[in-house]
Amino acid sequence: MSALTMNLTATASEENSFDSAPEQTVVEDTVGFPLVDDPKIRARNASVFYGDKQAIFNIDLDIGKHEVIAMIGPSGCGKSTFLRTINRMNDTVDGCRVSGEFLLEEDNIYGSKMDVVELRARVGMVFQKPNPFPKSIFDNVAYGPKIHGLAGSRVELDEIVENSLKRAGLWAEVKDRLQQPGTGLSGGQQQRLCIARAISISPEVILMDEPCSALDPIATARIEELIAELAENYTIVIVTHSMQQAARVSHRTAYFHLGKLVEVNETEKVFTTPEHKLTEAYITGRFG
Ligand SMILES: Nc1ncnc2c1ncn2[C@@H]1O[C@H](COP(=O)(O)OP(=O)(O)O)[C@@H](O)[C@H]1O
Ligand SMILES: [Mg+2]
């Protein structure tokens, strides 16, 4: 049994023990972050505040093109908050303030020239709970291409919808009922519909915030396969509370703790020979 498997087996039964924040209240030091050549996303000195409360502390991170990077760490450590900085979803939260530098290739994500609608078309998002629109399966996928004017004709729109559903691994299951409501699908199908909706406008990056946490193991396995396929064309940033999932789907893993990015390394390394003692404590199921 490899060290990776051993670590994961040892912690599997304790996976749900991280629902509350650990005892440590201060993260003293972090492991230096690796620079990525020609990254898709570059964050420097990123901080996020909710009112007076700081949720993210001075994070530096590069995310490569066609990389799947997993974000793990205890509940409340800032994974979702950091994820949402990338497509400015925090803009919609009252009292939330973001500082630092965020680049999507050479474009300043928080710059005055950035159009947020365009940003969210380039950086799509899939949420924890599948959230199809109360529309038909077809319209769920066609909506984005329509509002962004991506289809010149009905035939082109049909093609985009079909291709998106194919890439999301859902076409065979829905091709005969495209006019039925998206909300009538199973949970796993709904999540694949949401992925089809996200890719229908050809994003560069897909953010996924615990995309499988509402799904059964079979639907989860299907989404994980899909992530591997999508990585050929997109940059994927996935938040997961499952270390097993991070190990299965990601190239690199970032460990967050109390709003700090403690360590980011190759996934294999994080789960076998982590550099930071907090990472080690987390992956082996203990703290301190
Ligand atoms: N909308 C919000 N308003 C105020 N505080 C928030 C909000 N969202 C998250 N927080 C706080 O920010 C911290 C990080 O939360 P979050 O990013 O959701 O963590 P995670 O995704 O790792 O569980 C937590 O202390 C949480 O309570
Ligand atoms: Mg979260």
Side-chain angles (χ1 to χ4, degrees):
M1 195 191 284
S2 74
L4 176 62
T5 319
M6 270 169 55
N7 263 338
L8 296 177
T9 309
T11 57
S13 60
E14 299 184 62
E15 208 181 2
N16 293 328
S17 64
F18 297 109
D19 285 346
S20 55
E23 286 147 32
Q24 249 111 349
T25 52
V26 185
V27 178
E28 301 273 336
D29 58 326
T30 58
V31 172
F33 78 99
L35 288 169
V36 170
D37 278 343
D38 192 22
K40 188 68 182 175
I41 296 159
R42 173 161 282 175
R44 289 291 181 276
N45 203 21
S47 293
V48 182
F49 303 80
Y50 293 107
D52 299 338
K53 191 176 166 258
Q54 188 162 2
I56 292 290
F57 297 82
N58 314 96
I59 286 180
D60 294 321
L61 180 64
D62 284 350
I63 300 176
K65 294 178 171 129
H66 309 301
E67 164 165 62
V68 180
I69 186 166
M71 304 196 161
I72 62 168
S75 213
C77 65
K79 303 178 298 292
S80 296
T81 299
F82 182 76
L83 190 75
R84 291 193 302 254
T85 61
I86 301 171
N87 68 348
R88 288 180 56 174
M89 285 299 281
N90 292 318
D91 285 15
T92 62
V93 178
D94 271 351
C96 185
R97 185 168 63 80
V98 176
S99 67
E101 186 186 25
F102 297 83
L103 296 178
L104 176 60
E105 300 208 353
E106 56 285 341
D107 298 322
N108 181 354
I109 292 175
Y110 289 84
S112 55
K113 280 190 238 132
M114 179 57 77
D115 172 345
V116 180
V117 174
E118 192 203 322
L119 172 68
R120 295 198 187 130
R122 293 175 65 187
V123 184
M125 190 151 186
V126 175
F127 297 86
Q128 191 165 352
K129 194 166 169 288
N131 59 348
F133 302 136
K135 292 171 177 283
S136 69
I137 293 167
F138 183 92
D139 285 341
N140 262 278
V141 185
Y143 180 81
K146 271 190 203 161
I147 60 166
H148 290 283
L150 301 183
S153 65
R154 174 67 199 213
V155 173
E156 269 179 44
L157 187 62
D158 285 350
E159 274 173 17
I160 293 175
V161 170
E162 180 173 337
N163 283 332
S164 304
L165 287 166
K166 279 183 175 159
R167 278 187 291 165
L170 189 59
W171 176 249
E173 290 157 67
V174 300
K175 64 180 176 9
D176 299 322
R177 48 167 168 159
L178 292 174
Q179 293 314 322
Q180 289 176 21
T183 48
L185 297 170
S186 73
Q189 289 172 326
Q190 287 188 27
Q191 198 62 306
R192 278 180 281 146
L193 180 63
C194 293
I195 292 172
R197 183 176 67 189
I199 60 186
S200 68
I201 49 177
S202 302
E204 296 158 47
V205 180
I206 306 175
L207 308 178
M208 297 185 167
D209 195 348
E210 306 202 16
C212 301
S213 63
L215 305 182
D216 64 45
I218 292 170
T220 295
R222 189 69 198 83
I223 302 279
E224 288 182 2
E225 279 167 32
L226 189 54
I227 289 170
E229 289 162 26
L230 294 173
E232 289 170 22
N233 296 301
Y234 309 96
T235 300
I236 297 178
V237 189
I238 178 170
V239 169
T240 176
H241 66 268
S242 161
M243 288 185 264
Q244 287 83 353
Q245 180 165 74
R248 285 190 296 261
V249 305
S250 69
H251 306 126
R252 284 194 307 156
T253 293
Y255 177 63
F256 283 70
H257 196 106
L258 295 169
K260 294 198 176 151
L261 178 52
V262 167
E263 171 166 0
V264 55
N265 261 317
E266 300 301 317
T267 293
E268 171 89 23
K269 175 162 175 54
V270 168
F271 288 109
T272 53
T273 51
E275 279 184 52
H276 199 288
K277 64 183 186 333
L278 285 173
T279 317
E280 189 190 10
Y282 183 70
I283 62 149
T284 57
R286 65 191 157 77
F287 282 100

